[in-house]
Amino acid sequence: MSEVVVAYIPVLHEGYRRFLDAHARDRPLFLIGPELYVDYRPLAKDIRGLDAELAAAAIAAWEICSEVSVLDERSATRLAQKRPRITLPDEDVSHQVVERFFTRCEVRYDTAFLRWDKSRSVRMLVPDSAETVSADQEIADIAAAARAQAGTSVDWWRRVGAAMRFADGTIAAAANEHNPHHLSAYAVGDPRSNFFKGVGLELSTATHAEARLVAQAARDGVSTEGAVMYVTDFPCPPCAKLIASAGVAKLYFREGYAVLDGQDVLEAAGIEIVQVD
């Protein structure tokens, strides 16, 4: 049985070169051409994408693959009839093409990160904290403040509290709250109810607890540089960016999931992440 690589490669960067070096060395590479994803809406905005033939010519110059060609419907059907063993990147376009043409072939996926495809963008990950600790006296005050605030939230399906201890020792706390009225979600509905967890994070009438904390500190003229924060749920990506920009030194969280680049942003800002048991 022959072995081939099939991939959607819209740009050329080191990640793709490593993927090909690992799986397509001296093997045929078939680039997924536009004819195979013409109706796939997420790629309609992929204006950076190279013409598939240009990408094929450039990749051929790397001299990794035995041959490089572009798949259209006819050539994909012919390839499927040969029943090769196929390796693809583990992303949305790959799965669509396999479901359409290669269901009778032996297929394996490489989970290497190459781009923010649709499935990866909404994937919920377990946060990788530096350590897991039991609640102790060091954070008992902000943990209690955050939990108390969470209990005041009217967002019954996701009651989140956050608290921050500033460098001067003072503490502030907040819960997620809907706008323009705290009962707005029950008067006109919450747009978030139209989406699954991790999807459409910005489409809500609520201001998240972490964002309220940072905004209130700015309004009061209190510096957040070096502050310690406790959140009952791991921050969403927009809140993670706010926390990183605010100069928070340490983030404690009780539970929750990480999506998109939230954890990467926090770690890049040098924030220590600790889960509380």
Side-chain angles (χ1 to χ4, degrees), residues 6-131:
V6 173
Y8 170 63
I9 302 182
V11 296
L12 302 182
H13 59 61
E14 179 64 9
Y16 285 106
R17 191 200 65 77
R18 290 180 180 177
F19 172 81
L20 296 177
D21 191 50
H23 302 293
R25 173 67 63 180
D26 298 325
R27 291 173 180 164
L29 167 66
F30 295 92
L31 295 183
I32 296 174
E35 190 174 312
L36 304 189
Y37 58 80
V38 65
D39 296 324
Y40 188 48
R41 187 175 179 183
L43 297 186
K45 297 181 179 179
D46 205 355
I47 59 176
R48 65 190 181 139
L50 286 171
D51 177 85
E53 295 292 347
L54 289 177
I59 293 171
W62 290 351
E63 298 184 345
I64 294 175
C65 313
S66 60
E67 60 178 289
V68 184
S69 56
V70 177
L71 282 179
D72 54 22
E73 291 191 17
R74 180 176 296 180
S75 58
T77 301
R78 288 200 304 267
L79 179 61
Q81 292 172 347
K82 298 178 181 178
R83 303 283 181 86
R85 182 184 291 113
I86 307 175
T87 300
L88 308 93
D90 189 7
E91 59 178 35
D92 49 2
V93 178
S94 297
H95 285 275
Q96 286 201 25
V97 170
V98 167
E99 184 176 350
R100 185 176 174 188
F101 294 101
F102 303 116
T103 55
R104 295 180 178 273
C105 298
E106 182 180 337
V107 174
R108 65 171 180 162
Y109 296 98
D110 184 345
T111 57
F113 174 71
L114 297 175
R115 67 187 185 94
W116 284 112
D117 66 290
K118 182 180 179 181
S119 58
R120 187 177 293 274
S121 298
V122 300
R123 187 171 299 165
M124 293 180 287
L125 305 172
V126 177
D128 184 18
S129 61
E131 58 179 323

Side-chain angles (χ1 to χ4, degrees), residues 215-231:
Q216 188 60 50
R219 184 173 182 174
D220 295 341
V222 179
S223 174
T224 54
E225 185 71 32
V228 175
M229 180 181 282
Y230 178 101
V231 290

Side-chain angles (χ1 to χ4, degrees), residues 238-277:
C239 284
K241 293 174 175 64
L242 280 176
I243 293 168
S245 297
V248 171
K250 196 168 187 176
L251 175 72
Y252 291 91
F253 75 97
R254 185 178 65 190
E255 59 188 1
Y257 52 85
V259 295
L260 207 63
D261 56 359
Q263 178 164 349
D264 293 337
V265 168
L266 293 170
E267 291 177 342
I271 298 175
E272 183 179 357
I273 302 172
V274 180
Q275 184 167 15
V276 178
D277 187 358

